[in-house]
Amino acid sequence: MPEVNERPLVQAIGLTKHFPVRGGLLSSLLRREEQVARAVDGVSFDIRRGSVFGLVGESGSGKSTTARLVLRLIEPTAGQVIFDGVDMGTLKPAAMRSLRSRMQIVFQDPMASLNPRMTIGAAIEHPARIHMPDLTPKQRRERVIEMLEAVQLSPGRQYYDKYPHQISGGQRQRVVIARALVTNPDLIVADEPVAMADVSVRALLLELMMKLKEQFDLTYLFITHDLATAKYVCDDIAIMYLGKIVEQGPLRSVFREPSHPYTRALLDAVPVPDPKHRRNRPMPAGEIPSALNPPSGCRFHPRCPIAATEVCPLVDPELRPVEGRPEHLAACHLRTGAYQHLDPER
Ligand code: SF4
């Protein structure tokens, strides 16, 4: 295989995003220092070409901000994104615009993503007008119809002139996917793409996305709070907590041997249909702490059920390979056999 195909499509290196938070008039009168929300703090991962990379975490973990950093929809405070060997931070606006046609995003709320006054055909055609200026109006229309049929809205001609309110929620998400595909991208960032769909259509949408991946040779960055969904679609996953990746690796390895207590808690919270195998372990008590004032040391320590060492609140654990599994990383001082020894239920 030529070397170029072995290069990851996306490399995120030390991605960091801190948002300044203004404290209001009183704070400025008292000359208090400006506060900073550490939304994303030194996140690194590779997305293999043709794979599905899942970024998983609770609300407030920084996964959606990371997705926007990857697409350069927001500027990082620090770190790099290398897309197909190109450092996106070095690109001039025109080069960035052209690269952007190769990466598209699907948001969770299709109603908010579509202009209610624009027909479905016009909505899908819009990115083609910007990124495919050589197409004639007839060719653009044909391309839109082709995309509608690819997302199983068939015959495409019947949907072209409809408005978003005239179709169902599941069909609207198909339209959003068709719009993402129209410029022939390499990367689709799917930000909770089925979270707002009815349970009955979720599996169908995921199945469609996997079929489109093969058909159009796509790579996905898949953002979800739901490990059950991640299990269905992802090849590799990274678990985020309070702006950091706490565990990452091949999906099978992470599911089989979760090495961070937070991953373990997320897995235990996944509903199990068979009552005999129900684990009945709730998520750790408490909410994710504020990114304005993250806990010292390991950020998970106030909620960690096994924070059994005095080093946890003092030293931030680095992501390191789990014993015997070089591709599987965890950021926990007790990530190896010691952790399993402490948990008698394993
Ligand atoms: Fe828990 Fe300590 Fe591991 Fe953090 S480093 S997850 S507090 S055991």
Side-chain angles (χ1 to χ4, degrees):
M1 194 183 285
E3 198 185 320
V4 69
N5 283 340
E6 289 169 7
R7 185 170 64 197
L9 181 64
V10 177
Q11 292 169 276
I13 305 167
L15 269 186
T16 299
K17 183 67 186 177
H18 294 172
F19 293 103
V21 178
R22 292 205 175 81
L25 185 60
L26 184 63
S27 292
S28 43
L29 286 174
L30 296 174
R31 297 184 186 222
R32 279 191 194 139
E33 272 183 35
E34 191 176 61
Q35 282 193 299
V36 166
R38 296 164 173 271
V40 177
D41 230 353
V43 160
S44 300
F45 53 84
D46 289 352
I47 306 180
R48 294 181 290 120
R49 214 173 283 267
S51 71
V52 182
F53 184 90
L55 216 41
V56 181
E58 291 171 281
S59 161
S61 60
K63 55 193 191 308
S64 291
T65 305
T66 304
R68 280 153 185 76
L69 289 169
V70 167
L71 292 170
R72 207 100 193 165
L73 295 177
I74 51 174
E75 285 295 308
T77 308
Q80 289 170 282
V81 177
I82 315 285
F83 183 85
D84 204 6
V86 176
D87 181 348
M88 287 165 65
T90 64
L91 293 179
K92 299 257 181 327
M96 190 60 230
R97 267 196 300 281
S98 133
L99 194 68
R100 212 155 251 145
S101 69
R102 296 181 57 195
M103 46 179 80
Q104 297 291 329
I105 187 162
V106 172
F107 292 107
Q108 69 169 280
D109 182 358
M111 203 57 186
S113 307
L114 295 169
N115 182 340
R117 286 189 290 277
M118 204 183 247
T119 64
I120 284 161
I124 299 174
E125 205 175 308
H126 186 67
R129 276 177 191 274
I130 297 168
H131 295 294
M132 303 167 110
D134 296 341
L135 294 187
T136 64
K138 183 168 180 280
Q139 286 170 327
R140 273 203 306 266
R141 185 181 166 92
E142 279 166 7
R143 174 103 186 127
V144 170
I145 289 169
E146 191 192 331
M147 291 303 108
L148 279 167
E149 297 194 347
V151 297
Q152 296 163 0
L153 294 175
S154 188
R157 277 181 182 75
Q158 280 187 12
Y159 287 89
Y160 192 97
D161 293 317
K162 286 188 190 288
Y163 285 88
H165 71 270
Q166 294 176 307
I167 57 176
S168 70
Q171 289 175 328
R172 280 195 287 272
Q173 195 58 311
R174 286 168 194 260
V175 169
V176 173
I177 294 169
R179 185 178 60 183
L181 291 177
V182 77
T183 59
N184 204 15
D186 297 288
L187 175 72
I188 300 273
V189 173
D191 190 356
E192 303 269 16
V194 299
M196 293 189 74
D198 289 345
V199 176
S200 57
V201 298
R202 273 184 207 167
L204 292 174
L205 278 172
L206 291 173
E207 219 169 87
L208 172 68
M209 289 183 73
M210 293 306 107
K211 182 170 170 285
L212 294 169
K213 180 175 103 63
E214 298 308 317
Q215 188 177 347
F216 295 102
D217 212 4
L218 299 168
T219 301
Y220 287 127
L221 171 55
F222 197 96
I223 314 291
T224 181
H225 66 283
D226 176 19
L227 269 174
T229 302
K231 187 178 182 185
Y232 186 70
V233 296
C234 296
D235 299 299
D236 301 296
I237 57 168
I239 311 291
M240 284 193 78
Y241 184 80
L242 205 52
K244 294 201 165 219
I245 291 177
V246 295
E247 182 157 8
Q248 76 182 90
L251 179 104
R252 278 164 160 245
S253 184
V254 172
F255 268 67
R256 198 173 294 158
E257 292 288 338
S259 297
H260 192 283
Y262 180 58
T263 313
R264 182 76 189 277
L266 288 177
L267 277 171
D268 284 349
V270 173
V272 179
D274 182 349
K276 277 192 235 140
H277 292 96
R278 202 158 280 157
R279 283 164 285 203
N280 270 338
R281 288 202 224 168
M283 285 292 290
E287 309 245 308
I288 293 194
S290 165
L292 276 174
N293 190 15
S296 61
C298 173
R299 291 183 180 186
F300 190 56
H301 85 260
R303 298 174 76 195
C304 181
I306 57 153
T309 161
E310 63 281 1
V311 81
C312 295
L314 298 176
V315 181
D316 192 6
E318 283 177 31
L319 266 178
R320 289 182 192 276
V322 172
E323 209 171 279
R325 287 173 283 160
E327 291 183 336
H328 182 164
L329 313 176
C332 172
H333 297 304
L334 303 176
R335 69 192 171 281
T336 53
Y339 162 52
Q340 291 170 24
H341 170 71
L342 283 165
D343 183 357
E345 284 188 55
R346 280 187 64 89

